[in-house]
Amino acid sequence: EVQLVESGGGLVQPGRSLRLSCAASGFTFDDYAMHWVRQAPGKGLEWVSGISWNSGSIGYADSVKGRFTISRDNAKNSLYLQMNSLRAEDTALYYCAKVVKLGDAYGAFDYWGQGTLVTVSS
Amino acid sequence: QSALTQPASVSGSPGQSITISCTGTSSDVGGYNYVSWYQQHPGKAPKLMIYEVSNRPSGVPDRFSGSKSGNTASLTISGLQAEDEADYYCSSYTSSSTPYVVFGGGTKLTVL
């Protein structure tokens, strides 16, 4: 059974940093690209960042470029999101998600975690 | 402002069919067959319903179907059931610099 479990969320002051983690199991992690998608309270889905299976292709939404860094450790079956210079508008539930097709860097997301909540407030 | 345009809400009665549209540009929906649709119930993670325009993942009822014409993709749900009431989001790959993936603003489906 595929499982994605996010952690690392919490309450943080504006300008501070936070590192999210996503532990994956139930599939061959290093075969698939992984992404972060967020959802602000009461709002829609927003793609944040994605990373290919071998970290060779990485992308960021304009809203987080230069502040967030995605990475993965295939030996640990884990995905990460380093978030720096956090702003109030970064407040959201952050999901990690797995792409459907082996080898694709982008595309549809067939498995999602339950999310970790990040609240940026003073 | 969302990159893909969806109606804010649609509604239908049990047993009826409804269609949700998703309009983009030639840089996303119109240019690639990487359109997907997600269903999200309150407090739950999104669930993939359609990928690559018209493919259904295993376990998704065949009442759900997807299509595309030009820059507009559509999700059709036939034989509406009460449990279909949820938010629906479309998504597409985009070649317009970044982001690589764009979502629609979401459509609230109400089953009357």
Side-chain angles (χ1 to χ4, degrees), chain A residues 37 39 43-45 47 58-60 62 65 95 100-101 104 106-110 112-114, chain B residues 34 36 38 40 43-48 50-52 89 93 98-105:
Chain A
V37 177
Q39 187 169 34
K43 301 297 184 182
L45 301 173
W47 178 78
I58 288 176
Y60 299 97
D62 287 343
K65 198 179 301 182
Y95 294 103
V100 170
K101 281 193 165 180
D104 266 359
Y106 42 81
F109 309 134
D110 57 349
W112 300 61
Q114 286 305 302
Chain B
Y34 280 106
S36 51
Y38 302 89
Q40 187 179 35
K44 300 293 187 183
K47 176 186 177 182
L48 179 65
I50 296 288
Y51 68 99
E52 292 177 358
Y89 295 91
Y93 169 75
T98 57
Y100 291 166
V101 178
V102 290
F103 283 95

Side-chain angles (χ1 to χ4, degrees), chain B:
Chain B
Q1 187 174 1
S2 301
L4 304 179
T5 300
Q6 298 181 232
S9 63
V10 298
S11 62
S13 299
Q16 288 186 332
S17 294
I18 62 95
T19 296
I20 300 172
S21 62
C22 171
T23 301
T25 69
S26 58
S27 295
D28 39 65
V29 173
Y32 306 91
N33 288 325
Y34 280 106
V35 177
S36 51
W37 290 91
Y38 302 89
Q39 176 192 67
Q40 187 179 35
H41 288 110
K44 300 293 187 183
K47 176 186 177 182
L48 179 65
M49 305 303 285
I50 296 288
Y51 68 99
E52 292 177 358
V53 178
S54 59
N55 294 322
R56 271 189 315 276
S58 174
V60 172
D62 60 6
R63 303 185 295 103
F64 292 83
S65 63
S67 62
K68 188 183 81 167
S69 177
N71 295 336
T72 298
S74 299
L75 173 71
T76 297
I77 308 174
S78 58
L80 266 181
Q81 300 182 2
E83 58 263 35
D84 298 333
E85 183 163 297
D87 293 324
Y88 290 85
Y89 295 91
C90 64
S91 176
S92 174
Y93 169 75
T94 176
S95 61
S96 56
S97 60
T98 57
Y100 291 166
V101 178
V102 290
F103 283 95
T107 298
K108 169 66 177 176
L109 169 61
T110 300
V111 180
L112 302 170

Side-chain angles (χ1 to χ4, degrees), chain A residues 80-101:
Chain A
Y80 305 101
L81 186 68
Q82 177 67 43
M83 304 186 297
N84 298 332
S85 303
L86 282 162
R87 306 167 179 167
E89 53 264 36
D90 295 319
T91 294
L93 187 63
Y94 284 73
Y95 294 103
C96 70
K98 166 191 167 291
V99 299
V100 170
K101 281 193 165 180

